Amino acid sequence: MTARIIDGKAISQELRAAWKVRVNEIKARGVTPGLAVIIVGEDPASRVYVGNKVKACAEAGIYSEHIALPADTPESVLLARIADLNANPAIHGVLVQLPLPRHIDSNQVLEAIRPDKDVDGFHPMNVGALVTGNTAFPPCTPSGTMKLLEKMGIEIEGRHAVVVGRSNIVGKPMALMLLHKNATVTICTSRTVNLAKYTRDADILVVATGKPGMITGDMIKPGATVIDIGINRMPDGKLTGDVEFESVKEVAGYITPVPGGVGPMTITMLIENTIQAAERAIIRN
Ligand code: GUN
């Protein structure tokens, strides 16, 4: 058996086609949706991600501010920039790219973003809303994954979903979203003893550990859906996921490639959240 490839790029394109109408409707009300993206430091991967986010804004007809701060920026300066953006009516979404340099307290920074401009969905208020089943701003990578499952017609209710990884950005919100769709959810980490015991029982396996190739074909239930959220740059410059694609695709029913799987969906969902933030701002005013 060879798995069907879940083409995140094609599904992204399909969703992006609907942006134009929504953005034009917002502009007809005299508002241009605006997103501010802040990056602190020189992390090469973060710079690529931020560049892609800014590019997607242009493609969608959204105004964007790209704020690049040096790695030694004091936390107080970053907080002051966020306060300005919170008060700026031209900005509907504020995103601080993670990870931040070690001298900055990420939680403090994420809590400083106005919850109604928190298009990443990382503010504790939006995290709390996700726990109780309200999806004010669903975090982009897990919500992009849910969209892929929906578009591929993959059944979630009653199935065993195993999430490997427990980050605030992906693992935890992913597990909650699957739970809200009535999956039976197991959360593992890269340190779970006998990980294969759990992964082999997964109807849906979502992997977000940042450990290249850690999931191999012998760890998969035949016909399972395998979602690879890892993006790892190898010494030869190639991108690879947390799933060993070649062996897993021989056992799985569906699989996301890296690149071209979940990655494009993350940015698509970010733009969707930004458009929604602008729509809500119009309703409020
Ligand atoms: N770093 C890795 N993924 C993300 C994301 O979705 N949002 C932000 N802000 N930083 C990230």
Side-chain angles (χ1 to χ4, degrees):
M1 178 177 195
T2 298
R4 273 186 70 186
I5 306 292
I6 302 178
D7 186 345
K9 220 168 144 180
I11 294 173
S12 267
Q13 284 307 330
E14 189 189 319
L15 293 168
R16 290 176 187 211
W19 287 348
K20 210 173 183 162
V21 174
R22 281 174 78 189
V23 170
N24 283 343
E25 275 170 10
I26 295 167
K27 287 184 174 171
R29 309 282 293 266
V31 174
T32 298
L35 175 69
V37 183
I38 305 179
I39 180 168
V40 185
E42 310 290 330
D43 179 64
S46 289
R47 284 171 69 160
V48 171
Y49 298 147
V50 163
N52 287 340
K53 289 172 184 179
V54 170
K55 216 163 79 187
C57 285
E59 187 197 322
I62 288 178
Y63 167 73
S64 69
E65 274 185 35
H66 180 187
I67 300 165
L69 301 173
D72 60 355
T73 301
E75 186 177 302
S76 58
V77 171
L78 177 58
L79 291 174
R81 291 301 292 263
I82 292 170
D84 286 345
L85 295 164
N86 281 345
N88 183 346
I91 295 295
H92 304 95
V94 178
L95 177 158
V96 178
Q97 188 65 26
L98 302 176
L100 286 165
R102 271 217 286 271
H103 68 280
I104 295 177
D105 178 348
S106 300
N107 285 332
Q108 194 82 7
V109 169
L110 296 176
E111 284 175 34
I113 298 170
R114 245 172 75 163
D116 59 348
K117 294 192 178 188
D118 171 37
V119 284
D120 253 335
F122 294 165
H123 187 285
M125 221 175 104
N126 286 322
V127 176
L130 178 63
V131 173
T132 56
N134 171 353
T135 47
F137 286 118
C140 305
T141 301
S143 72
T145 299
M146 294 304 286
K147 202 57 140 180
L148 288 179
L149 296 174
E150 181 195 315
K151 288 279 177 189
M152 298 303 291
I154 291 160
E155 201 160 343
I156 299 174
E157 182 160 309
R159 301 301 155 116
H160 188 197
V162 175
V163 179
V164 187
R166 35 128 279 179
S167 70
N168 289 337
I169 295 180
V170 180
K172 287 181 202 165
M174 187 76 248
L176 282 165
M177 286 181 194
L178 289 160
L179 194 57
H180 288 316
K181 292 287 178 194
N182 296 315
T184 299
V185 181
T186 300
I187 307 177
C188 298
T189 73
S190 57
R191 296 180 209 176
T192 295
V193 175
N194 198 359
L195 179 62
K197 182 176 101 181
Y198 301 96
T199 61
R200 274 190 206 121
D201 192 55
D203 300 304
I204 299 169
L205 177 64
V206 182
V207 190
T209 60
K211 297 201 182 309
M214 74 171 291
I215 301 293
T216 47
D218 59 317
M219 299 168 79
I220 304 294
K221 182 198 258 191
T225 296
V226 179
I227 306 285
D228 188 355
I229 297 186
I231 303 182
N232 309 288
R233 176 91 48 194
M234 302 311 278
D236 63 4
K238 283 202 181 121
L239 287 179
T240 186
D242 297 347
V243 171
E244 191 184 77
F245 187 82
E246 288 307 316
S247 64
V248 171
K249 82 171 191 330
E250 297 305 323
V251 189
Y254 291 89
I255 188 168
T256 58
V258 176
V262 175
M265 294 298 288
T266 295
I267 296 186
T268 301
M269 300 322 280
L270 169 68
I271 302 297
E272 300 255 328
N273 280 354
T274 304
I275 294 172
Q276 199 157 96
E279 287 170 344
R280 287 188 195 142
I282 290 173
I283 294 166
R284 267 200 313 274
N285 290 330

